[in-house]
Amino acid sequence: MKKYFIIPLSQLLLLFLVSFAALAQSRGINWTKDGNGYYEIKNGGIVLVSLPKLERKQVLSNTNLRIQSFQLSEDGSKALIFTNSKKVWRYNTRGDYYVAELSTGKVKKLGKDMPASSLMFAKFSPDGQKVAYVNKHNLYVEDLATNAVKALTTDGTDRLINGTFDWVYEEEFDSRDGFHWSPDGNSIAYWQLDASRIKNFLMINNTDSIYAYTIPVEYPKVGENPSACRVGIVNVATAKTNWLNVPGDNVQHYIPRMDWIPGTNEVILQQLNREQNVSKLYVCDATIGAAKNIYTETDKAWIDVADDFEWINSNKELLWASEKDGWRHFYKISKDGKKQTLITKGNYDVIEKSLTDEKNNILYFMASPSNATQRYLYKTKLDGKGNAEMVTSAVMPGSHDYMISPNGMYARHIYQSASIQPLAEWMNMTTGNPFNMDGSITNQLGRQKPVANKTTFFKIKTEDGIELDGWMKKPENFNENKKYPVLFYVYGEPASQTVTDTYGVDYNNLYAGDLAEDGYIAISIENRGAPAPKGREWRKSIYKNIGVLNIRDQAMAAKEILKWPFVDKDRIAVYGWSGGGSSTLNLMFQCPEIYKTGIAIAAVANQLTYDNVYQERYMGTPLQTKEAYVKGSPISHVKGLKGNLLYIHGTGDDNVHYQNAEML
């Protein structure tokens, strides 16, 4: 459900700000290998920007291509260009690829005999002499000297998927790119998913032709088996695949992450059981396929998928995030799994890792120990012998992002808050100062027009003794002696926060007008279960309780807000999308004495209709916990509706199916 909540204005502005650099398909800067500069796309070519002077040098002239992203070969002599992209479910992950020789500017297209915009995830071999890519669920390698194309797999079909993933892996594990070159370039490790037993969900298109037609989507509902998954090592010379012998049923386990261990012929992968509460790390010998379990972690609720695999200490230790002590912290795990060292210590969560500076024994990370709505840069000693130090200046309260160069010397720093539009500066990480004061955030703050009617943040304690964060935007010309109607914005599920100190957090792109100008109070409350940096117990207390615990937190907070003298308790509304739509329905049905009007968009009315990976992760398998699914589903409470409800859903929704609307 995570893909269908409203995108805050802050995120849109942030994407605009960082577009100054050539972005890969994931967020970030296209840094040079040494970290002393970055590459950006300019007028159909590529420009190298050197730091700290920001000097620009053209490395590839106009190619007459609309370059969307690119990567350089290891020796920096060639650029692999991605263009003419097309969407696969959520993101534009297929398109055309070209290789450009930077010395001559000569450009040639890869996969010339394949359909337009059909190549996926192309990558240079380590020596830069070949490029591998996926086309129609098969893996290919193309020799750049001879232009010869070799199929490394030939059994790919609509349902036997090599080198990429099925619908649910993409949606819920964020798994898309499904292969990796070996460090020596002689082989490729890749995923194969067998979705042949996944049932089709048929969407119906009534609008694009006189006769309606169905659109099948491979979609494993709650209780249905997922695709069988395995990892193979294909020899580039012989096109022969050897399969890794990972223990466990390949249908009842997931493998959401896999990669080579640098400088070795070994692969590491994360395996999750069906309920996703047992995580195992396996180190696999790529030659014989033997798999050794080096680390196992269990949780009474669920365990999150790894962000990445990062090795340090000459590839002898793995950096690993875990919540096993009640907080999300980073550990070092030895390759044999026998030694574990806690790096980040204390009663706080690491939000994300920013950079590992092994040379200087520093781990940079984002955290906010005292305010879960904000984020700041911290650092600590990589050997685990230090305490966390705040790097961000305390005089800039709000939310910060840092894109740090690989050598740890420079960073693109972006700052924003609910009342400050995103501002960016280049900074020297050694001194902590911006490159120049003219381009500094401090200077830009002085030029930014102050916000007259600021969004304010508050904490509210419910009758259950639970303290919740919230934000509020009051009407223009607010008069505390008047009573105003309130519109609550809700999401409420484990996939997203709504209460963050970011610009545009109060922006409602569905309202044709201005809520504040029209006399409404806008409020959002962050219930337990949201992915806020408030500890494991906060996040995972919602386990087997979606539709119950989050609804009670929201309603009990609203009950306290109704006591405020300027709130009109007879004009209380709530709205949300996807998981927020589900929460809206449950609030309207379970708490009609509070919420008089609701707008629910693309809601999961029946939790048994949603996909197995998401819903079973947070609710357990329905064979044991069907009662919890039923109890948390809005359709179980629909008789409680008393107020005004607008329900919105599209028949083209491949994620939350329209059947929920008809069931409701």
Side-chain angles (χ1 to χ4, degrees):
M1 282 181 278
K2 59 182 177 237
K3 303 299 185 237
Y4 284 119
F5 52 84
I6 296 167
I7 298 174
L9 180 61
S10 60
Q11 292 183 21
L12 298 176
L13 289 170
L14 181 59
L15 288 172
F16 171 78
L17 268 172
V18 298
S19 66
F20 71 94
L23 298 185
Q25 289 168 329
S26 60
R27 173 182 169 272
I29 294 176
N30 203 333
W31 296 104
T32 58
K33 194 183 341 183
D34 62 10
N36 290 324
Y38 65 91
Y39 298 96
E40 66 178 13
I41 301 166
K42 196 79 171 177
N43 299 324
I46 299 172
V47 173
L48 168 63
V49 183
S50 299
L51 301 177
K53 294 184 178 181
L54 298 174
E55 295 173 336
R56 283 167 164 75
K57 175 186 176 183
Q58 193 87 30
V59 296
L60 181 66
S61 300
N62 189 350
T63 59
N64 294 317
L65 297 172
R66 187 173 67 87
I67 303 175
Q68 292 173 260
S69 66
F70 66 92
Q71 56 181 280
L72 297 185
S73 58
E74 184 67 19
D75 64 4
S77 66
K78 306 181 188 74
L80 181 57
I81 294 170
F82 182 60
T83 185
N84 301 327
S85 69
K86 302 292 182 183
K87 187 174 287 186
V88 177
W89 303 121
R90 303 285 167 260
Y91 299 105
N92 289 42
T93 53
R94 63 183 176 92
D96 293 327
Y97 283 91
Y98 293 79
V99 171
E101 294 282 352
L102 299 188
S103 60
T104 64
K106 184 180 178 181
V107 176
K108 68 177 180 180
K109 187 181 182 187
L110 299 177
K112 288 183 179 180
D113 296 331
M114 296 175 179
S117 299
S118 67
L119 273 56
M120 303 177 72
F121 312 119
K123 302 181 203 55
F124 282 117
S125 59
D127 64 5
Q129 301 304 306
K130 301 179 181 69
V131 172
Y133 48 77
V134 171
N135 178 257
K136 293 185 176 180
H137 292 172
N138 276 314
L139 189 60
Y140 295 84
V141 64
E142 185 163 340
D143 189 297
L144 298 180
T146 65
N147 299 323
V149 177
K150 177 192 286 188
L152 299 181
T153 66
T154 57
D155 54 358
T157 66
D158 286 346
R159 293 305 182 94
L160 191 66
I161 303 166
N162 296 303
T164 184
F165 296 90
D166 65 358
W167 184 93
V168 77
Y169 262 77
E170 288 203 13
E171 178 71 19
E172 304 301 356
F173 289 137
D174 206 24
S175 300
R176 292 175 176 81
D177 182 348
F179 73 90
H180 303 292
W181 280 97
S182 64
D184 62 12
N186 293 327
S187 56
I188 292 174
Y190 69 98
W191 277 267
Q192 183 188 78
L193 271 70
D194 183 354
S196 60
R197 296 186 181 181
I198 303 296
K199 296 176 184 176
N200 279 335
F201 186 84
L202 299 179
M203 300 189 301
I204 188 165
N205 188 324
N206 285 306
T207 59
D208 288 350
S209 66
I210 298 300
Y211 286 92
Y213 58 92
T214 58
I215 301 171
V217 178
E218 65 202 35
Y219 192 104
K221 297 271 188 180
V222 161
E224 296 286 326
N225 285 335
S227 299
C229 176
R230 59 180 179 170
V231 173
I233 311 296
V234 61
N235 184 289
V236 174
T238 66
K240 180 183 177 182
T241 293
N242 291 322
W243 300 101
L244 299 182
N245 298 317
V246 181
D249 188 309
N250 64 359
V251 173
Q252 297 304 319
H253 290 85
Y254 301 107
I255 302 177
R257 297 291 182 266
M258 174 273 292
D259 207 348
W260 293 90
I261 299 175
T264 73
N265 196 37
E266 294 175 311
V267 166
I268 184 168
L269 59 84
Q270 180 186 23
Q271 182 198 63
L272 293 172
N273 65 330
R274 175 73 177 267
E275 286 198 80
Q276 300 170 65
N277 57 10
V278 179
S279 170
K280 294 184 178 182
L281 294 181
Y282 286 96
V283 170
C284 308
D285 187 309
T287 303
I288 62 175
K292 179 184 177 183
N293 176 211
I294 66 162
Y295 180 75
T296 299
E297 188 171 332
T298 62
D299 194 289
K300 292 180 180 178
W302 70 85
I303 294 177
D304 291 321
V305 173
D307 291 329
D308 59 13
F309 295 110
E310 184 176 4
W311 293 87
I312 59 173
N313 188 17
S314 301
N315 305 319
K316 296 175 184 175
E317 293 179 304
L318 174 70
L319 292 182
W320 188 252
S322 171
E323 296 178 329
K324 61 185 178 182
D325 74 348
W327 302 91
R328 187 175 190 268
H329 283 306
F330 271 90
Y331 295 77
K332 292 189 297 183
I333 300 175
S334 61
K335 188 178 174 183
D336 60 9
K338 294 180 180 179
K339 183 180 179 182
Q340 300 169 27
T341 304
L342 176 62
I343 301 174
T344 54
K345 303 171 183 175
N347 295 335
Y348 66 88
D349 283 310
V350 173
I351 298 173
E352 65 181 5
K353 172 163 53 79
S354 299
L355 181 76
T356 305
D357 184 355
E358 191 170 3
K359 179 181 177 182
N360 294 302
N361 191 32
I362 296 173
L363 178 70
Y364 290 98
F365 60 93
M366 304 304 298
S368 187
S370 60
N371 188 331
T373 72
Q374 299 175 339
R375 48 187 287 147
Y376 302 93
L377 184 66
Y378 282 76
K379 67 178 181 180
T380 193
K381 290 184 178 179
L382 190 58
D383 58 17
K385 296 180 180 179
N387 296 316
E389 299 176 39
M390 188 170 170
V391 177
T392 305
S393 171
V395 301
M396 288 190 281
S399 296
H400 298 257
D401 279 280
Y402 292 81
M403 287 163 277
I404 308 175
S405 63
N407 58 14
M409 292 179 61
Y410 310 110
R412 188 64 168 170
H413 171 210
I414 298 171
Y415 167 54
Q416 61 178 307
S417 73
S419 57
I420 296 172
Q421 296 182 28
L423 301 171
E425 67 182 0
W426 279 106
M427 60 179 292
N428 185 310
M429 290 296 291
T430 303
T431 64
N433 297 322
F435 284 0
N436 57 73
M437 286 310 298
D438 185 55
S440 69
I441 287 175
T442 302
N443 209 2
Q444 294 175 67
L445 279 170
R447 300 194 296 264
Q448 194 170 104
K449 185 178 179 181
V451 176
N453 183 13
K454 292 184 178 181
T455 296
T456 56
F457 289 81
F458 61 88
K459 293 182 182 293
I460 196 158
K461 184 170 286 189
T462 71
E463 64 183 47
D464 299 326
I466 306 298
E467 187 177 72
L468 305 172
D469 289 313
W471 60 255
M472 172 171 54
K473 181 69 175 285
K474 293 179 180 178
E476 302 290 345
N477 303 312
F478 175 76
N479 184 339
E480 62 181 12
N481 296 314
K482 288 186 177 182
K483 289 187 178 294
Y484 296 93
V486 175
L487 176 62
F488 285 95
Y489 169 49
V490 63
Y491 181 70
E493 298 207 8
S496 181
Q497 287 180 258
T498 63
V499 182
T500 57
D501 194 0
T502 54
Y503 190 74
V505 68
D506 60 350
Y507 179 65
N508 186 334
N509 63 347
L510 301 177
Y511 183 72
D514 187 307
L515 285 167
E517 287 184 359
D518 293 342
Y520 294 96
I521 297 174
I523 293 178
S524 190
I525 302 292
E526 201 86 274
N527 54 257
R528 284 173 292 173
K534 300 176 83 167
R536 178 207 169 276
E537 184 61 30
W538 170 273
R539 288 186 291 277
K540 294 184 177 178
S541 58
I542 201 170
Y543 183 58
K544 298 184 181 179
N545 271 309
I546 292 178
V548 178
L549 178 139
N550 54 327
I551 301 308
R552 180 164 180 84
D553 277 1
Q554 290 285 335
M556 292 304 97
K559 187 177 176 182
E560 296 301 317
I561 288 170
L562 262 58
K563 297 176 183 178
W564 294 352
F566 51 83
V567 168
D568 186 342
K569 62 182 178 60
D570 296 320
R571 291 192 292 167
I572 304 298
V574 60
Y575 82 103
W577 194 310
S578 189
S582 309
S583 296
T584 296
L585 293 178
N586 268 323
L587 291 168
M588 291 293 294
F589 299 162
Q590 295 183 41
C591 311
E593 74 282 2
I594 296 175
Y595 303 94
K596 311 302 182 183
T597 295
I599 303 173
I601 309 165
V604 175
N606 180 354
Q607 291 184 20
L608 294 169
T609 70
Y610 201 56
D611 76 65
N612 54 5
V613 173
Y614 180 97
Q615 210 69 48
E616 292 176 13
R617 177 191 301 149
Y618 302 126
M619 294 295 287
T621 59
L623 296 176
Q624 289 90 27
T625 62
K626 186 174 180 180
E627 182 181 344
Y629 280 76
V630 173
K631 186 178 180 181
S633 293
I635 58 171
S636 300
H637 308 282
V638 70
K639 290 182 180 179
L641 178 64
K642 293 180 182 178
N644 309 303
L645 175 63
L646 172 62
Y647 187 88
I648 303 168
H649 212 134
T651 57
D653 193 337
D654 63 75
N655 184 11
V656 181
H657 298 145
Y658 178 72
Q659 72 176 156
N660 284 275
E662 297 204 345
M663 285 182 172
L664 186 66

